[in-house]
Amino acid sequence: MSFKLAKYLPILDWGRRYRGETFVNDMVAALIVTIMLIPQSLAYALLAGLPPQVGLYASILPLFAYALFGTSRQLAVGPVAILSLMTAAAAAKIAATGTPQYIEAAVILAVLSGAILLLLGLFRMGFLANFLSHPVVSGFITASGIIIAASQLKHILGVNAGGHNLFEIGRALIENLPQTNLPTLYLGAGSLIFLFWVRGQLKPLLRRVGLGDKAATIIARAGPVFAVVASIWIVAGMGLADEGVRILRDVPRTLPSLGMPRFNQDLWMQLLGSAALISLIGFVESVSVSQTLAAKKRQRIDPNQELVALGAASLSAGFSSGYPVTGGLARSAVNFDAGAETPAAGAFTAIGIALATLFLTPYLYFLPQAVLAATIIVAVLSLVNITALRTVWNYSKSDFAAMAATILVTLGLGVELGVTTGVVLSLLLHLYNTSRPHFAVVGQVPGTHHFRNVDRYDVISSDSVITIRIDESLYFANARFLEDTIYDVLGKRPDLKHLILMCPAVNHIDASALESLEAINLRLRDGGVTLHLSEVKGPVMDKLKRTHFLDELTGHVYLNQYEAIQDLDAACTRAALGTADPDSGRDV
């Protein structure tokens, strides 16, 4: 009973083995992540068009929820750049940025996306993430990173410039360029230069002066904290707020209020589609991060349980005045490098964020928005991977088409249409590719029991016995193509007596494909050709046995291809000598 319960509450598993040393490691990691998470949470809230404290609120209860239900030991959940951008795009359809209705829409998105993830997890539907191919995800992240970076340039310049896609943002920036605030530009540009230097040069420098790899990594990743502290000191000391530098100002020193957002059916239905996309993207991003970290520790995660954990985290964000959250790459990497051993590190981080909200926010009054924008730009540009376009182009033109379309639509029309385009194209291309699967006429490699494509290898083949290897499962989209392929072969082989369908790659045969096989069997029988199957997998064979197909099959089902060839070649020889055995061959 306890084992089954631990499957749904992983804390019962790792909690039983929790020791003092583990507590110390988790506390150290939590302290480091908390320091990094404060400016990051504020920055991502501003990216989402929300008050800065909402980012802090979204970094408290969700961490507790994930600690209860999550299977990754090092994943750190909270606001992330991609979901912040998607939240802004969805909420902007409801109300103007910064209004109470806009904030309410963001909270509802958290509740809806959490509920969707939770339902998917309860029904064990983690496989749905597979509908987003890696090229599509990579293209979406690349395009979103470019849009996010471009959207933050207004804070670096100190101008007002909105827009929902790259072209709108670019036009607004150009139009408002003459209004650039120079002190803001100096602060923003200086922060960018510093943060890029920290990301690329600080760690090697620290290693050269004798610091250990782990410590050097943590210090380098805490670069935004140094920028925040320095910029606050500069702005406060030089009075730059009076020169037009936009600062954070007062952040409420209160913990989030708990409660369910008001229910308005029309409003919730308007946001449902956006919440579904946010759920899908958040789950894919989180699972990819957690699997990467788990592999380094030889641990494993359960994608279905991760759906439950992320759903609980996002629901708790919605119930505590936050917005959609997921596992973030940067904070999770810092959590991992800092030595976190269990999800308890996330719970300790949540306590740190709560304490910072109560006691540290007054010291952030003079924090310039330009510096927060710089931290976002540096973070998201590391996600941009233009070289992947060339790699995918060289490998698969269809995957490149889906990736390129996702990038172009995201840049030109916005994030929601971009990811929708990617998903639809991926499915359509999958259907197209599997509707024309690879079939090969194969022959026996001399001196072996192996069979290979006659067009690629020097093999032994026969005019009276031909084998077609099927390299795809058979279903409604490719059933007709199978028939056309076999009839084309039949028309070119007047001496054909036996046709073997070699099925080592067939994992499934649906009802439409079964009807095609029945039609092929009858057509070949009428043409004086016997149909055989070989190397049929057990689960497929089990399904065929529940039909009349095997009773009506003119030939036999062979365990392996070599056995089939030996048997049928012997049968053809006997037939030529007038001693054919009608019962030759073995069914399996």
Side-chain angles (χ1 to χ4, degrees):
M1 180 67 181
S2 61
F3 174 77
K4 291 183 178 180
L5 192 59
K7 181 178 179 181
Y8 301 100
L9 278 173
I11 189 174
L12 297 178
D13 178 31
W14 57 261
R16 287 186 291 105
R17 299 187 297 273
Y18 206 76
R19 300 291 182 268
E21 182 181 354
T22 308
F23 171 78
V24 172
N25 291 335
D26 284 346
M27 280 296 294
V28 171
L31 177 62
I32 294 169
V33 174
T34 299
I35 293 171
M36 186 198 80
L37 209 55
I38 293 170
Q40 192 179 77
S41 298
L42 297 170
Y44 287 150
L46 292 177
L47 172 60
L50 298 166
Q53 68 269 19
V54 175
L56 296 174
Y57 296 164
S59 301
I60 300 175
L61 278 188
L63 291 168
F64 284 111
Y66 187 84
L68 287 174
F69 298 102
T71 59
S72 172
R73 302 296 179 91
Q74 288 83 28
L75 188 72
V77 300
V80 298
I82 301 296
L83 294 199
S84 297
L85 180 64
M86 296 181 73
T87 298
K93 299 176 184 177
I94 305 300
T97 302
T99 61
Q101 294 79 14
Y102 182 96
I103 298 171
E104 180 185 35
V107 174
I108 293 172
L109 282 171
V111 173
L112 281 173
S113 61
I116 291 170
L117 288 167
L118 192 58
L119 284 173
L120 292 177
L122 292 175
F123 287 100
R124 319 304 285 174
M125 298 180 71
F127 67 90
L128 288 177
N130 298 332
F131 288 114
L132 270 179
S133 68
H134 179 73
V136 165
V137 173
S138 177
F140 175 72
I141 291 175
T142 291
S144 298
I146 294 171
I147 291 178
I148 291 170
S151 71
Q152 296 306 294
L153 290 177
K154 64 183 179 183
H155 296 300
I156 301 295
L157 299 174
V159 300
N160 294 314
H164 298 99
N165 58 61
L166 185 63
F167 305 109
E168 291 179 0
I169 294 170
R171 183 173 64 248
L173 285 172
I174 293 172
E175 290 174 353
N176 290 280
L177 197 59
Q179 282 76 50
T180 298
N181 180 273
L182 290 180
T184 301
L185 177 60
Y186 297 150
L187 271 174
S191 297
L192 278 175
I193 294 171
F194 171 75
L195 291 173
F196 276 118
W197 176 82
V198 165
R199 180 175 288 268
Q201 304 298 324
L202 181 57
K203 180 180 175 179
L205 177 62
L206 294 174
R207 291 293 307 279
R208 285 197 296 271
V209 299
L211 209 60
D213 183 74
K214 182 177 179 179
T217 299
I218 292 172
I219 293 174
R221 285 181 171 162
V225 177
F226 304 140
V228 164
V229 173
S231 64
I232 291 174
W233 181 77
I234 291 171
V235 170
M238 300 181 66
L240 295 182
D242 298 330
E243 301 295 325
V245 174
R246 296 173 185 174
I247 56 176
L248 204 58
R249 298 191 182 279
D250 287 315
V251 177
R253 297 176 59 184
T254 57
L255 293 176
S257 57
L258 303 181
M260 179 82 173
R262 71 181 178 92
F263 181 75
N264 180 312
Q265 183 175 343
D266 292 337
L267 176 59
W268 284 55
M269 290 304 296
Q270 278 183 272
L271 292 169
L272 184 60
S274 298
L277 291 176
I278 287 173
S279 303
L280 184 60
I281 293 296
F283 176 58
V284 171
E285 179 177 354
S286 180
V287 166
S288 64
V289 172
S290 57
Q291 286 178 334
T292 300
L293 296 178
K296 293 181 179 180
K297 292 275 191 177
R298 296 191 177 184
Q299 298 166 350
R300 64 176 298 274
I301 67 162
D302 179 353
N304 290 312
Q305 184 60 27
E306 284 298 290
L307 279 169
V308 173
L310 293 172
S314 207
L315 274 174
S316 65
F319 294 154
S320 57
S321 306
Y323 70 105
V325 298
T326 193
L329 175 60
R331 73 190 66 187
S332 298
V334 171
N335 200 36
F336 179 89
D337 291 333
E341 293 188 28
T342 72
F348 299 148
T349 300
I351 295 172
I353 296 292
L355 292 174
T357 303
L358 291 174
F359 301 111
L360 293 184
T361 49
Y363 300 102
L364 301 175
Y365 183 92
F366 287 103
L367 175 59
Q369 293 183 17
V371 173
L372 292 178
T375 64
I376 293 175
I377 291 173
V378 173
V380 300
L381 286 183
S382 66
L383 304 176
V384 175
N385 188 4
I386 299 298
T387 58
L389 280 166
R390 183 174 58 190
T391 302
V392 175
W393 167 263
N394 291 332
Y395 185 75
S396 170
K397 300 301 185 290
S398 60
D399 283 340
F400 173 82
M403 184 179 187
T406 301
I407 291 175
L408 292 175
V409 174
T410 301
L411 291 177
L413 300 176
V415 291
E416 292 188 355
L417 278 175
V419 71
T420 303
T421 299
V423 171
V424 171
L425 272 177
S426 291
L427 293 176
L428 290 177
L429 287 169
H430 172 73
L431 288 174
Y432 175 77
N433 290 332
T434 56
S435 70
R436 302 179 61 82
H438 183 260
F439 294 96
V441 176
V442 299
Q444 185 179 357
V445 179
T448 74
H449 292 189
H450 301 295
F451 293 81
R452 295 291 185 268
N453 193 330
V454 297
D455 295 327
R456 293 175 177 268
Y457 295 87
D458 184 13
V459 294
I460 302 170
S461 59
S462 167
D463 291 334
S464 57
V465 181
I466 188 171
T467 300
I468 297 178
R469 190 187 67 219
I470 307 170
D471 293 334
E472 183 67 68
S473 291
L474 300 176
Y475 72 119
F476 64 90
N478 60 28
R480 180 64 62 182
F481 185 75
L482 172 64
E483 290 187 51
D484 293 341
T485 300
I486 290 176
Y487 298 153
D488 181 60
V489 171
L490 184 64
K492 297 176 181 177
R493 302 288 182 113
D495 299 328
L496 185 63
K497 299 300 180 184
H498 298 276
L499 175 66
I500 307 170
L501 292 182
M502 186 179 174
C503 307
V506 178
N507 298 308
H508 174 69
I509 298 176
D510 74 356
S512 298
L514 179 62
E515 288 186 9
S516 290
L517 288 175
E518 292 171 343
I520 292 167
N521 184 52
L522 293 176
R523 175 79 174 268
L524 292 178
R525 184 194 66 185
D526 294 341
V529 179
T530 305
L531 176 64
H532 308 271
L533 304 179
S534 74
E535 302 191 8
V536 181
K537 292 186 174 181
V540 177
M541 194 67 186
D542 291 340
K543 293 187 69 175
L544 291 178
K545 286 178 179 179
R546 297 199 294 267
T547 71
H548 296 292
F549 175 71
L550 295 179
D551 297 329
E552 298 168 357
L553 183 65
T554 55
H556 303 277
V557 181
Y558 290 93
L559 183 63
N560 61 70
Q561 179 61 25
Y562 180 75
E563 182 181 88
I565 288 296
Q566 291 294 102
D567 192 35
L568 296 177
D569 280 346
C572 289
T573 301
R574 288 192 297 270
L577 297 174
T579 59
D581 178 4
D583 295 323
S584 64
R586 283 168 286 177
D587 290 347
V588 294

